[in-house]
Amino acid sequence: MGESQATVASTIRPDEFNVRVADSWLSALPHDGEKLLLSDDDRQALSRIAVPVSLPAADMPIYRERDAAQDVFLLMSGLVRTARTLASGRRQIIAFHWPGDVFGLSEHGAYVSDAETITPTRLARLPMRYLDGAFLQHPALQGLFLVKTLNDLRETQHELVTKSQSDLPTRLAFFLLQCVEHPECYDAATQVVTLPIARADLADYLAAAPESVSRAFAQLEQRRLIRRISPQKIALDMTRLAPFCTLADR
């Protein structure tokens, strides 16, 4: 990672370790309605191996595609994007990572994408050589990480289906519904999303030109699914938006 810019943060307390998963995965596991509940032993094990890192600005590199993969990362606060550069030279954002997400996918010992901050970010860097040992000593912890991996795979498959079978306004609507799941950017009382990313990032995530994304916002507004309060604040009509995103009904 960008060692010259990153700084070692204060020690991460064991009670700060949280792992986010989708609601449908929570019923069979200890949870508080939003995240998995790790045991005290599991939290202590993570605390012993985690290296806290603070990245105080946007657009700071965490790792680059093809870098040697020595760590995985647990996002404690902030927002991170992972992206790849296509043969055409265009950037494709693969995913946005929220607090409680684990990222650092690798293949043959190298990272498969770039990872950069979107906002000031705090990470727990988990060296793989120590994480393997923690899994051996704490099998339940390994199970929780497996559940998180399967959850992320399911979300990725869902997004691939959405992107391949939907037009741009529908893909944009799906993204807005994803934001609803995160209290960092959604006010449930007013049903207002504050977009946490720049329009260029959103365009690269939706695989569209920025001007096409602007037209897609206008189309959703014309259908009275949203109302633009400002470039970053979007009021949602949740009674209309969710049915609009149901592929079977389209």
Side-chain angles (χ1 to χ4, degrees), residues 6-30:
T7 59
V8 176
S10 58
T11 303
I12 302 173
R13 300 190 315 273
D15 64 343
E16 292 184 272
F17 288 97
N18 295 306
V19 178
R20 181 186 73 88
V21 294
D23 288 347
S24 59
W25 286 85
L26 293 177
S27 58
L29 296 162

Short mmCIF file of all heavy atoms in Angstrom, two decimals, residues 6-30:
data_model
loop_
_atom_site.label_atom_id
_atom_site.label_comp_id
_atom_site.label_asym_id
_atom_site.label_seq_id
_atom_site.Cartn_x
_atom_site.Cartn_y
_atom_site.Cartn_z
N ALA A 6 0.11 6.45 4.01
CA ALA A 6 -0.66 5.81 5.06
C ALA A 6 0.04 5.98 6.39
O ALA A 6 1.27 6.05 6.46
CB ALA A 6 -0.84 4.33 4.75
N THR A 7 -0.73 6.04 7.45
CA THR A 7 -0.16 6.13 8.78
C THR A 7 -0.73 5.02 9.65
O THR A 7 -1.86 4.59 9.46
CB THR A 7 -0.48 7.49 9.43
OG1 THR A 7 -1.91 7.66 9.52
CG2 THR A 7 0.11 8.62 8.62
N VAL A 8 0.07 4.56 10.58
CA VAL A 8 -0.40 3.56 11.52
C VAL A 8 -1.31 4.24 12.53
O VAL A 8 -0.91 5.21 13.18
CB VAL A 8 0.76 2.85 12.22
CG1 VAL A 8 0.25 1.87 13.27
CG2 VAL A 8 1.64 2.14 11.21
N ALA A 9 -2.54 3.76 12.62
CA ALA A 9 -3.51 4.36 13.53
C ALA A 9 -3.33 3.77 14.92
O ALA A 9 -2.50 2.90 15.17
CB ALA A 9 -4.92 4.10 13.01
N SER A 10 -4.13 4.28 15.84
CA SER A 10 -4.11 3.73 17.19
C SER A 10 -4.61 2.29 17.16
O SER A 10 -5.26 1.86 16.22
CB SER A 10 -4.99 4.58 18.11
OG SER A 10 -6.32 4.62 17.61
N THR A 11 -4.31 1.55 18.18
CA THR A 11 -4.68 0.15 18.25
C THR A 11 -6.20 -0.03 18.11
O THR A 11 -6.98 0.76 18.65
CB THR A 11 -4.23 -0.45 19.59
OG1 THR A 11 -2.82 -0.26 19.72
CG2 THR A 11 -4.56 -1.93 19.66
N ILE A 12 -6.59 -1.06 17.38
CA ILE A 12 -8.01 -1.36 17.21
C ILE A 12 -8.49 -2.18 18.40
O ILE A 12 -7.93 -3.23 18.72
CB ILE A 12 -8.26 -2.13 15.90
CG1 ILE A 12 -7.74 -1.32 14.71
CG2 ILE A 12 -9.74 -2.43 15.73
CD1 ILE A 12 -7.78 -2.08 13.40
N ARG A 13 -9.52 -1.68 19.06
CA ARG A 13 -10.07 -2.42 20.20
C ARG A 13 -10.78 -3.68 19.70
O ARG A 13 -11.38 -3.67 18.62
CB ARG A 13 -11.06 -1.55 20.97
CG ARG A 13 -10.49 -0.26 21.53
CD ARG A 13 -11.51 0.37 22.48
NE ARG A 13 -12.86 0.37 21.94
CZ ARG A 13 -13.35 1.32 21.15
NH1 ARG A 13 -12.60 2.35 20.79
NH2 ARG A 13 -14.59 1.24 20.70
N PRO A 14 -10.77 -4.75 20.46
CA PRO A 14 -11.46 -5.97 20.03
C PRO A 14 -12.93 -5.75 19.71
O PRO A 14 -13.46 -6.36 18.77
CB PRO A 14 -11.28 -6.92 21.24
CG PRO A 14 -9.99 -6.47 21.85
CD PRO A 14 -9.98 -4.97 21.69
N ASP A 15 -13.61 -4.85 20.45
CA ASP A 15 -15.04 -4.67 20.21
C ASP A 15 -15.34 -3.89 18.92
O ASP A 15 -16.49 -3.74 18.53
CB ASP A 15 -15.72 -3.97 21.40
CG ASP A 15 -15.19 -2.57 21.65
OD1 ASP A 15 -14.11 -2.22 21.12
OD2 ASP A 15 -15.86 -1.81 22.37
N GLU A 16 -14.30 -3.39 18.24
CA GLU A 16 -14.51 -2.67 16.99
C GLU A 16 -14.59 -3.58 15.78
O GLU A 16 -14.97 -3.14 14.70
CB GLU A 16 -13.37 -1.67 16.77
CG GLU A 16 -13.33 -0.51 17.75
CD GLU A 16 -12.23 0.47 17.40
OE1 GLU A 16 -11.09 0.28 17.86
OE2 GLU A 16 -12.52 1.43 16.65
N PHE A 17 -14.24 -4.85 15.93
CA PHE A 17 -14.25 -5.76 14.78
C PHE A 17 -15.68 -6.20 14.47
O PHE A 17 -16.32 -6.88 15.27
CB PHE A 17 -13.37 -6.98 15.05
CG PHE A 17 -11.90 -6.66 15.02
CD1 PHE A 17 -11.21 -6.40 16.19
CD2 PHE A 17 -11.22 -6.57 13.82
CE1 PHE A 17 -9.86 -6.10 16.18
CE2 PHE A 17 -9.87 -6.27 13.78
CZ PHE A 17 -9.19 -6.02 14.96
N ASN A 18 -16.17 -5.79 13.30
CA ASN A 18 -17.51 -6.14 12.85
C ASN A 18 -17.44 -6.60 11.40
O ASN A 18 -16.65 -6.06 10.61
CB ASN A 18 -18.46 -4.94 12.95
CG ASN A 18 -18.68 -4.50 14.38
OD1 ASN A 18 -19.06 -5.31 15.22
ND2 ASN A 18 -18.40 -3.24 14.67
N VAL A 19 -18.27 -7.56 11.04
CA VAL A 19 -18.31 -8.10 9.68
C VAL A 19 -19.73 -7.96 9.16
O VAL A 19 -20.68 -8.48 9.75
CB VAL A 19 -17.87 -9.58 9.65
CG1 VAL A 19 -17.96 -10.13 8.24
CG2 VAL A 19 -16.45 -9.72 10.18
N ARG A 20 -19.87 -7.24 8.05
CA ARG A 20 -21.18 -6.96 7.47
C ARG A 20 -21.57 -8.07 6.49
O ARG A 20 -20.76 -8.52 5.68
CB ARG A 20 -21.14 -5.63 6.71
CG ARG A 20 -22.46 -5.20 6.09
CD ARG A 20 -22.29 -3.95 5.25
NE ARG A 20 -21.57 -4.21 4.00
CZ ARG A 20 -22.16 -4.60 2.87
NH1 ARG A 20 -23.46 -4.80 2.83
NH2 ARG A 20 -21.45 -4.80 1.78
N VAL A 21 -22.84 -8.50 6.55
CA VAL A 21 -23.39 -9.41 5.54
C VAL A 21 -24.83 -9.00 5.26
O VAL A 21 -25.45 -8.25 6.01
CB VAL A 21 -23.36 -10.89 5.99
CG1 VAL A 21 -21.94 -11.40 6.10
CG2 VAL A 21 -24.10 -11.09 7.29
N ALA A 22 -25.36 -9.51 4.13
CA ALA A 22 -26.74 -9.23 3.77
C ALA A 22 -27.69 -9.89 4.76
O ALA A 22 -27.39 -10.92 5.36
CB ALA A 22 -27.02 -9.72 2.35
N ASP A 23 -28.88 -9.29 4.92
CA ASP A 23 -29.84 -9.78 5.91
C ASP A 23 -30.19 -11.25 5.74
O ASP A 23 -30.40 -11.96 6.71
CB ASP A 23 -31.14 -8.96 5.82
CG ASP A 23 -30.95 -7.56 6.37
OD1 ASP A 23 -29.93 -7.31 7.02
OD2 ASP A 23 -31.82 -6.70 6.12
N SER A 24 -30.27 -11.73 4.49
CA SER A 24 -30.71 -13.10 4.26
C SER A 24 -29.73 -14.14 4.82
O SER A 24 -30.07 -15.30 4.96
CB SER A 24 -30.91 -13.34 2.76
OG SER A 24 -29.71 -13.11 2.06
N TRP A 25 -28.51 -13.71 5.11
CA TRP A 25 -27.53 -14.62 5.67
C TRP A 25 -27.52 -14.61 7.20
O TRP A 25 -26.82 -15.40 7.82
CB TRP A 25 -26.13 -14.24 5.17
CG TRP A 25 -25.90 -14.60 3.74
CD1 TRP A 25 -26.25 -13.87 2.65
CD2 TRP A 25 -25.29 -15.78 3.25
NE1 TRP A 25 -25.88 -14.52 1.50
CE2 TRP A 25 -25.28 -15.69 1.84
CE3 TRP A 25 -24.72 -16.90 3.85
CZ2 TRP A 25 -24.74 -16.70 1.03
CZ3 TRP A 25 -24.18 -17.89 3.04
CH2 TRP A 25 -24.20 -17.78 1.65
N LEU A 26 -28.30 -13.73 7.81
CA LEU A 26 -28.16 -13.54 9.24
C LEU A 26 -28.93 -14.54 10.09
O LEU A 26 -28.59 -14.77 11.22
CB LEU A 26 -28.60 -12.11 9.61
CG LEU A 26 -27.71 -10.98 9.09
CD1 LEU A 26 -28.32 -9.63 9.46
CD2 LEU A 26 -26.31 -11.09 9.66
N SER A 27 -29.99 -15.11 9.55
CA SER A 27 -30.91 -15.88 10.39
C SER A 27 -30.24 -17.07 11.05
O SER A 27 -30.60 -17.44 12.18
CB SER A 27 -32.11 -16.35 9.55
OG SER A 27 -31.66 -17.14 8.46
N ALA A 28 -29.27 -17.69 10.39
CA ALA A 28 -28.66 -18.90 10.95
C ALA A 28 -27.40 -18.62 11.75
O ALA A 28 -26.74 -19.55 12.22
CB ALA A 28 -28.33 -19.87 9.82
N LEU A 29 -27.07 -17.34 11.95
CA LEU A 29 -25.82 -16.98 12.60
C LEU A 29 -26.08 -15.94 13.69
O LEU A 29 -27.05 -15.20 13.62
CB LEU A 29 -24.84 -16.41 11.57
CG LEU A 29 -24.40 -17.38 10.47
CD1 LEU A 29 -23.81 -16.60 9.31
CD2 LEU A 29 -23.38 -18.37 11.02
N PRO A 30 -25.20 -15.87 14.69
CA PRO A 30 -25.35 -14.81 15.70
C PRO A 30 -25.20 -13.43 15.05
O PRO A 30 -24.23 -13.18 14.33
CB PRO A 30 -24.20 -15.10 16.68
CG PRO A 30 -23.79 -16.51 16.41
CD PRO A 30 -24.06 -16.76 14.97
#
